[in-house]
Amino acid sequence: MSSLPRPGKRCHDSLNPLHSQIYFAPEAEREFTAVGLEAGRMAYFAGRAAAMGAVGAGVVAATFYNFDPGLVARHLPRAWELASPDAVLGARLAAADGSLRRLLGEDIAEDPEVSEAAGLAATAAEACGVAGRPLYAAHAALPRPERPHLALWYFITLLREHRGDGHLVALSAAGLDGLEALVSHTATGNGFTPEFACASRGWSGREWDAAEERLRLRGLLDAEGGLTPRGVELRREVEEMTDRLAAAPYEHLGEAGVERLTEIGGRLTGRARSAGAFPPGVFARG
């Protein structure tokens, strides 16, 4: 089958919100604080990093890429003094269970389309390689949950982190540091709003302005903070490289499987969004 970067990207976009809703779910804060973590950033950093073990701030800053390293260091490795990685992983899965049941209905575990989608996502994930993919590799080593909705969430997580690790390669190849990547992405009008991106990633207004100036000096941003034609082209190159690096799972799944997984994922994501999975003011679009 020919390469499927664009269908793969559409499939990713249909599935990813089912994973990322957990970062906004009240169930996550409840479960993480129950095992000893502090609410907020500590819960986020520890929750996503726990698959790698009791790693330090440097590893998380490197693999998460666009957070202020100082912000990460205020919470790690101290989080592991409060809760073990195994306890955090258990809390995360419990949070996913609760949030998916709330957003999609208590009978979600019995939905045959969810079981079908989990099987399709599992097949796709068979083609994910670990080389140069630290977050993917860590999550891939975790046991597969038995319940269909959690198995689907797990395999979506693998596909997300596999793509995300490749995205960092593309950003690095483009010469964009973490903050410059964030600034240039918000300038596309997609993803997070600039206000949410800056605050949630721990950067100051001064640091954000300095990153904008660096991008202007490279000819990537204009005086109003929008992308120049050169900036648009660079972001296009980043996304195309990301698509290429993420294509293998979708090539392995095949065109019909990708189409079906995208269809089910889109339907489930629509239900989750309608149920309030994401608060207003976070995303510029969608």
Side-chain angles (χ1 to χ4, degrees):
M1 187 181 76
S2 62
S3 180
L4 284 177
R6 297 315 299 172
K9 176 61 162 61
R10 288 194 294 272
C11 191
H12 164 80
D13 289 347
S14 77
L15 296 171
N16 185 51
L18 297 175
H19 165 88
S20 59
Q21 53 78 25
I22 197 173
Y23 303 124
F24 303 90
E27 291 86 354
E29 185 163 299
R30 182 169 66 244
E31 296 291 345
F32 286 137
T33 56
V35 298
L37 294 179
E38 296 173 1
R41 264 66 170 272
M42 176 184 283
Y44 170 78
F45 292 137
R48 191 172 170 216
M52 296 188 288
V55 294
V59 172
V60 172
T63 53
F64 287 22
Y65 202 76
N66 61 20
F67 285 85
D68 171 22
L71 174 64
V72 180
R74 289 199 287 275
H75 301 288
L76 294 175
R78 186 166 61 89
W80 312 126
E81 300 171 4
L82 305 176
S84 70
D86 283 345
V88 173
L89 288 170
R92 193 183 197 215
L93 197 60
D97 183 29
S99 63
L100 289 172
R101 288 179 182 275
R102 172 175 55 85
L103 295 169
L104 301 177
E106 284 295 330
D107 61 348
I108 190 62
E110 284 71 51
D111 187 333
E113 284 197 337
V114 169
S115 294
E116 180 186 359
L120 291 168
T123 298
E126 291 172 354
C128 294
V130 300
R133 315 266 184 165
L135 268 177
Y136 162 75
H139 285 87
L142 300 177
R144 169 182 175 164
E146 294 184 3
R147 286 174 288 180
H149 65 298
L150 292 181
L152 176 59
W153 186 83
Y154 168 75
F155 285 113
I156 290 172
T157 299
L158 297 191
L159 293 170
R160 165 197 169 89
E161 299 297 9
H162 179 267
R163 181 182 178 86
D165 285 338
H167 186 55
L168 303 193
V169 172
L171 291 171
S172 181
L176 296 171
D177 65 25
L179 181 51
E180 292 165 354
L182 199 61
V183 171
S184 61
H185 187 251
T186 61
T188 68
N190 296 306
F192 294 139
T193 64
E195 295 78 14
F196 180 84
C198 183
S200 67
R201 271 49 186 166
W203 302 101
S204 68
R206 178 183 56 80
E207 290 168 321
W208 187 276
D209 291 344
E212 285 191 329
E213 183 59 25
R214 293 196 299 274
L215 294 173
R216 287 192 187 95
L217 291 173
R218 289 179 60 184
L220 302 176
L221 281 189
D222 60 27
E224 288 73 41
L227 290 174
T228 63
R230 185 176 173 186
V232 170
E233 177 63 16
L234 184 66
R235 288 301 317 192
R236 184 191 63 76
E237 291 172 356
V238 166
E239 296 306 319
E240 287 189 351
M241 179 180 287
T242 301
D243 287 345
R244 289 196 303 273
L245 294 174
Y250 306 101
E251 292 178 341
H252 179 66
L253 181 57
E255 292 182 13
V258 170
E259 182 178 356
R260 180 60 175 157
L261 184 56
T262 303
E263 177 188 350
I264 299 173
R267 193 151 47 239
L268 294 173
T269 286
R271 285 166 57 186
R273 288 186 183 277
S274 296
F278 303 100
V282 171
F283 297 105
R285 297 179 186 172

